[in-house]
Amino acid sequence: MTRRALNDDDTLRRLGYRPELARRMGPFGNFALSFSIISVLSGCMTLFGFGLTTGGPAVMLWGWAFVGLMVLAVGAALAEVTSAYPVSGALYFMASKLGGPRWGYVTGWFNLLGLLGGMAGGCYGTALFTGAWLNLQWGIAPTPERTLGIFAAILLLLATLNLFGVRLVSILNSISVWWHLAGVAAIVGALVLVPSHHQSAAFVFGEFSNGTGWSNPLYVGLLGLLLAQYTFSGYDASAHLSEETNHAQISAARGIVRSIFWSWVVGFVLLAGMLFAIQDYAGTVGSATGVPPAQIFLDALGPTAAKALLLVVIVAQLFCANAGLASASRMVFAFSRDNALPLSNMWKRLSARTKTPVAAVWLSVAVPFVLALPSLHSATAYTAIVSINVIGITPAYAIPVYLRLRAGRHFVRGPWHLGSWSKPIGWIAVIWVGFVTVLFCLPAVSPVTVDTFNYAPVALLSVLALAAVLWSTRGHRSYGIPEYGTAAERDDMAENVV
């Protein structure tokens, strides 16, 4: 069965919610939100050094092509469920409807902590790039204290921008799309035209490099897939902002799929351009700047152009983090609206003027700041905490898809759906997420020590333990999504199913 597209507010009411947020985002703005959060200029650049040591150029490029295809399957399957349930709660609401409140509660905590961990990791990465730029420009050493200060300033800036309302967020996201496209064109164009030396195609598409300490090339190559998988995250933002999007049943679903597809294309071009321009492989991996892409810019283009392109990357990363804060704050708002969080009444309050969840915005920057505090004393401890991002948000994508497959014919599709491809694409998505979740938990460096240990499994167990404790102590009593409209509305809804 398929449900025809309905009036946005009528759809929301029939899903049990009173329209409260300002619906001021168009289809392009919704796409731009997820495209900005995926941000190839953030993810690819931040993990570029990781890719150089876990398989090198061949794994980076072919891995990007393969992982992008798998993520496109995940996104398409999730988009189908989003079309049926276009609400800010997104993943946890879908899981609650299709599997019951316990499924929804656990999914919500995975999603929420993943989004907040992503804010911490993304903004801290931006602080590192900013520190590298300051070092190149004025010789300011990027100490842990200075990096944390830059990180705090970034969070304050983003909170201020988000408090102006969703219209400004939408405008900034639209600008972000063109900034990313122009930025990638400028970077790749400069790296193609300026350097007198370029790597060969055989190097870019075939060179394998292993700096992990592990001897098995297959294992190292699998680790290298994580560069792409880490970058392809956050596209659930289109669903989280669906209550602020016009024609949400179609626009939010398309926003998810289109953001993944275009990030897939643009990211491949960016990675290829960067790899062709490497002048000194070992020097790039061990760059004194601490940022391998900065070293490529320096070696290939000189300090002036390097600083200019670093600014392009930093601004793109700010766009990414700004969109990420919008997504995280709406998740806090929605989860609180369904009484899942402590002090829910505070976090679900909206500004009378902008209809923005002000307290939720501040919570969504306060938690990442707390998560980053261990970076003052141990980079390992900080890495362990922000691993909550990847290990939390990735499984959350597959849970609604799995429950939709389990529901079978009982699932009433929205106006955007996959037709006969729904089941095969859905199972590909679920299997891929299960596989990549295992990859996230594997040790990336040998020998395994306190400093090189992969804390992702600890993060995974911590999220599950937190959800279990909160569910048993308060969640099973307080949490609950609303009924599917009134009896009269359910009857009326049935007439719109064909």
Side-chain angles (χ1 to χ4, degrees), residues 378-451:
S378 170
T380 302
Y382 169 71
T383 302
I385 292 171
V386 298
S387 64
I388 292 172
N389 168 223
V390 292
I391 205 64
I393 204 167
T394 306
Y397 291 150
I399 294 174
V401 176
Y402 165 73
L403 294 173
R404 177 262 176 277
L405 291 168
R406 194 180 72 169
R409 295 182 179 179
H410 296 290
F411 173 71
V412 180
R413 298 184 300 199
W416 193 100
H417 59 84
L418 297 171
S420 60
W421 288 96
S422 179
K423 185 174 291 186
I425 290 177
W427 281 116
I428 289 171
V430 171
I431 292 169
W432 172 252
V433 169
F435 170 72
V436 82
T437 299
V438 174
L439 284 188
F440 278 131
C441 294
L442 297 177
V445 178
S446 178
V448 178
T449 66
V450 172
D451 290 330

Side-chain angles (χ1 to χ4, degrees), residues 158 161-162 168-169 172-173 317-327:
L158 298 178
L161 292 174
N162 269 262
L168 177 60
V169 171
L172 291 174
N173 288 333
Q317 291 174 336
L318 288 172
F319 279 128
C320 169
N322 185 64
L325 178 56
S327 181

Side-chain angles (χ1 to χ4, degrees), residues 116 119-121 123-124 145 147-156 362-376 382 385-386:
L116 295 176
M119 279 296 298
C123 290
Y124 197 84
E145 293 79 12
T147 301
L148 186 67
I150 296 169
F151 175 74
I154 290 171
L155 290 175
L156 287 174
W362 286 115
L363 182 66
S364 299
V365 296
V367 172
F369 181 76
V370 173
L371 291 177
L373 288 176
S375 67
L376 289 172
Y382 169 71
I385 292 171
V386 298

